[in-house]
C-alpha cells in the first residue's frame, strides 16, 4: 500500500532500475533518458541520485564516460558507486557518488567492444565493502548466442575470480542480475533456465533452489 509517484528531472531509461543506498536515504537511477536540444534521441545515458521523495535530484554527467553507462551498485559507506561503461573498452569503474568524478577502472572486458556485445554489469558490493560482484557478458555469433558469467573481485580491482561458467546464468544483458546475502556469505542469481540458485563468493556450494508450486 501507499504507492506514490516519485518525480524525476530526467526519467529512467526503459531498461534502467532504481537502487536504494545502504542507509535508505538515497535512490540511484542506473541511467536516465534525455533528449538533445532539438528534441531528438538521445543524450548519453547517465545515472542520477535523488532523495526518495524526488527532491535533491542530481544528474552525474560524467563527460569523460562513453555513451553507454549503467551505474548500479553503492559502496557500503555510500561515497562511491560502481558503473559499467560501454565504448571501445567496456569495463567497471568506481566513481564519486556525489558528482561522478574521480573514475577508477576496476575491470576491462576481454571480449571486444560494447558494439560487439561485450558488457560488464556491477550488481553489488559485499556488506564489508571489500569485494564486488559483477556479470561479464561474452558475445557470440548472434544476439541469441550471448553468454554471461558471475565474477567477484576485490574493490581495489585485484583478485578477479570467476564463480560460474559462461552459459550458466540468465544471459539477457538488460535483465540478468545477482545479489549478495546480508551476511556476505552467499550470492543469489538466476540460471539460464530461469531457476534461482545460490553460490558462495569463491564459487563453491552452488545450489539450485527448487520452488514449490
Amino acid at each position: 500500500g501507499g504507492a506514490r509517484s516519485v518525480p524525476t528531472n530526467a526519467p529512467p531509461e526503459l531498461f534502467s532500475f532504481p537502487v536504494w543506498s545502504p542507509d535508505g536515504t538515497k535512490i540511484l537511477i542506473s541511467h536516465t533518458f534525455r533528449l538533445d536540444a532539438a528534441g531528438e534521441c538521445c543524450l548519453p545515458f547517465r545515472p542520477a541520485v535523488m532523495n526518495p521523495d524526488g527532491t535533491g535530484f542530481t544528474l552525474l554527467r560524467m563527460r569523460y564516460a562513453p555513451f553507454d553507462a549503467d551505474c548500479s551498485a553503492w559502496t557500503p559507506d555510500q561515497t562511491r558507486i560502481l558503473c559499467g561503461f560501454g565504448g571501445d573498452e567496456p569495463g567497471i569503474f568506481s566513481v564519486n557518488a556525489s558528482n561522478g568524478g574521480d573514475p577508477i577502472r576496476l575491470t576491462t572486458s576481454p571480449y571486444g567492444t560494447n558494439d560487439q556485445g561485450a558488457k560488464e554489469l556491477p550488481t553489488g558490493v559485499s556488506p564489508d565493502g571489500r569485494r564486488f560482484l559483477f556479470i561479464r557478458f561474452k558475445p557470440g555469433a548472434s544476439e541469441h548466442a550471448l553468454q554471461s558469467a558471475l565474477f567477484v573481485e576485490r574493490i581495489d580491482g585485484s583478485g578477479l575470480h570467476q564463480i560460474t561458467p559462461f552459459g550458466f546464468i540468465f544471459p539477457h544483458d538488460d535483465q540478468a542480475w545477482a545479489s549478495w546475502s546480508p551476511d556476505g556469505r552467499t550470492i543469489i542469481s538466476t540460471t539460464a533456465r530461469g531457476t534461482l540458485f545460490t553460490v558462495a563468493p569463491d564459487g563453491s556450494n552452488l545450489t539450485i533452489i527448487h520452488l514449490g508450486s
Side-chain angles (χ1 to χ4, degrees):
R4 58 188 174 89
S5 177
V6 178
T8 61
N9 290 22
E13 194 269 338
L14 178 62
F15 292 112
S16 71
F17 42 87
V19 184
W20 285 102
S21 63
D23 69 359
T25 63
K26 299 287 183 181
I27 295 175
L28 168 67
I29 301 174
S30 62
H31 60 280
T32 56
F33 177 81
R34 299 175 298 143
L35 301 178
D36 63 21
E40 300 294 329
C41 179
C42 303
L43 292 175
F45 292 151
R46 292 294 181 260
V49 176
M50 65 182 187
N51 298 323
D53 62 359
T55 62
F57 184 94
T58 303
L59 182 71
L60 307 185
R61 297 185 180 276
M62 301 189 300
R63 292 181 173 85
Y64 59 85
F67 186 96
D68 290 308
D70 265 314
C71 298
S72 45
W74 298 83
T75 57
D77 64 6
Q78 299 183 186
T79 62
R80 301 187 72 82
I81 56 176
L82 301 189
C83 303
F85 287 171
D88 293 337
E89 293 184 289
I92 294 172
F93 286 72
S94 167
V95 306
N96 187 300
S98 63
N99 58 24
D102 186 27
I104 300 172
R105 180 182 282 273
L106 302 177
T107 73
T108 301
S109 173
Y111 297 114
T113 69
N114 190 223
D115 289 343
Q116 293 170 329
K119 183 175 179 179
E120 315 257 273
L121 179 66
T123 67
V125 178
S126 62
D128 62 9
R130 296 180 179 178
R131 296 168 293 176
F132 68 96
L133 174 66
F134 73 99
I135 301 174
R136 174 168 282 173
F137 298 89
K138 180 170 70 171
S142 69
E143 182 179 354
H144 297 291
L146 179 73
Q147 293 186 332
S148 54
L150 289 179
F151 287 76
V152 170
E153 186 171 272
R154 286 191 285 271
I155 200 67
D156 64 0
S158 65
L160 179 67
H161 183 65
Q162 183 174 346
I163 62 172
T164 67
F166 278 99
F168 181 78
I169 70 169
F170 190 73
H172 196 291
D173 62 346
D174 292 315
Q175 298 175 20
W177 196 250
S179 298
W180 295 90
S181 62
D183 62 8
R185 296 180 179 179
T186 308
I187 290 163
I188 189 167
S189 187
T190 310
T191 71
R193 295 185 176 183
T195 57
L196 295 174
F197 72 93
T198 58
V199 64
D202 64 0
S204 64
N205 298 324
L206 193 153
T207 304
I208 301 295
I209 299 176
H210 298 284
L211 301 178
S213 58

